[in-house]
């Protein structure tokens, strides 16, 4: 925008955070304004804050651009429990991104996927999810894993031994 009272021609310079610079010559009548297209400049893809700069012979303006992190789920197994022939696994899913998202979480036992649950986690938050599995036996060892779409995976081994004390006898 020409804030002066006379026509003028100046060079407009656009600089990116990566050091790319584009210039255009621009002529404006008094009090006129114009949108100036710049050639395609690459935008940063890594999350963070970036400063762009537009300058003329008489003025410089900086503008911040914030590149957000897409949803990125991480997983940790936070608890396990065993009861009779079955076990439960509690996993905590953390969204390390800047957007809420819903993703499938896969539960596998001994390398075979046994269940998938959808979970929605807000940006920067975490949610717990519980998976259960019946082994059909009171004595078992199972290698379990919980996996996100990224993929991030957490594993653990769950074991239970059936202990028999032998026959009970009573003395009279």
């Amino acid at each position: 925008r020409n804030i002066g009272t006379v026509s003028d021609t100046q060079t407009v310079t656009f600089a990116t955070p990566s050091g790319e610079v584009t210039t255009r010559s621009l002529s404006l009548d008094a009090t006129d304004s114009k949108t100036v297209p710049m050639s395609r400049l690459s935008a940063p893809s890594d999350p963070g804050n970036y400063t762009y700069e537009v300058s003329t012979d008489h003025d410089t303006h900086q503008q911040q651009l914030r590149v957000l992190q897409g949803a990125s789920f991480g997983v940790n197994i936070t608890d396990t429990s065993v009861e009779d022939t079955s076990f439960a696994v509690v996993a905590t899913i953390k969204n390390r991104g800047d957007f809420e998202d819903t993703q499938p979480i896969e539960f596998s036992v001994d390398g075979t996927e046994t269940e998938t649950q959808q979970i929605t986690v807000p940006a920067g938050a975490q949610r717990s999810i519980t998976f259960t599995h019946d082994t059909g036996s009171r004595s078992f060892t199972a290698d379990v894993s919980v996996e996100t779409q990224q993929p991030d995976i957490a594993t653990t081994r769950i074991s239970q031994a059936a202990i028999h004390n032998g026959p009970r006898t009573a003395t009279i």
Side-chain angles (χ1 to χ4, degrees):
R1 178 170 189 215
N2 184 350
I3 59 173
T5 57
V6 296
S7 296
D8 193 11
T9 299
Q10 291 190 18
T11 299
V12 178
T13 303
F14 183 76
T16 70
S18 66
E20 292 178 83
V21 176
T22 298
T23 60
R24 292 271 192 272
S25 180
L26 180 64
S27 296
L28 290 175
D29 291 330
T31 69
D32 278 353
S33 65
K34 186 175 183 180
T35 300
V36 180
M38 297 300 206
S39 64
R40 292 193 179 258
L41 299 170
S42 60
S45 59
D46 292 331
N49 294 316
Y50 300 90
T51 302
Y52 288 85
E53 184 174 282
V54 177
S55 60
T56 64
D57 295 344
H58 304 291
D59 203 5
T60 299
H61 287 279
Q62 292 184 339
Q63 184 67 42
Q64 291 289 315
L65 170 70
R66 181 173 179 215
V67 176
L68 301 175
Q69 169 72 41
S72 175
F73 284 14
V75 61
N76 287 309
I77 294 175
T78 52
D79 193 22
T80 60
S81 60
V82 175
E83 186 173 324
D84 199 29
T85 63
S86 65
F87 60 86
V89 173
V90 178
T92 299
I93 312 300
K94 182 172 183 174
N95 182 351
R96 300 177 293 238
D98 294 314
F99 298 97
E100 178 179 282
D101 197 13
T102 300
Q103 292 187 8
I105 307 300
E106 297 174 356
F107 176 64
S108 297
V109 178
D110 294 327
T112 302
E113 184 181 323
T114 61
E115 184 179 357
T116 299
Q117 292 184 33
Q118 296 287 328
I119 189 168
T120 300
V121 184
Q126 62 185 29
R127 297 284 184 264
S128 291
I129 189 168
T130 302
F131 294 96
T132 58
H133 182 74
D134 189 343
T135 66
S137 173
R138 293 185 58 162
S139 180
F140 60 86
T141 296
D143 292 318
V144 300
S145 65
V146 180
E147 186 172 358
T148 67
Q149 246 182 347
Q150 273 47 61
D152 189 23
I153 190 166
T155 61
T156 192
R157 177 170 282 174
I158 300 172
S159 295
Q160 174 170 291
I163 300 173
H164 298 286
N165 292 330
R168 293 186 182 205
T169 57
T171 304
I172 301 183

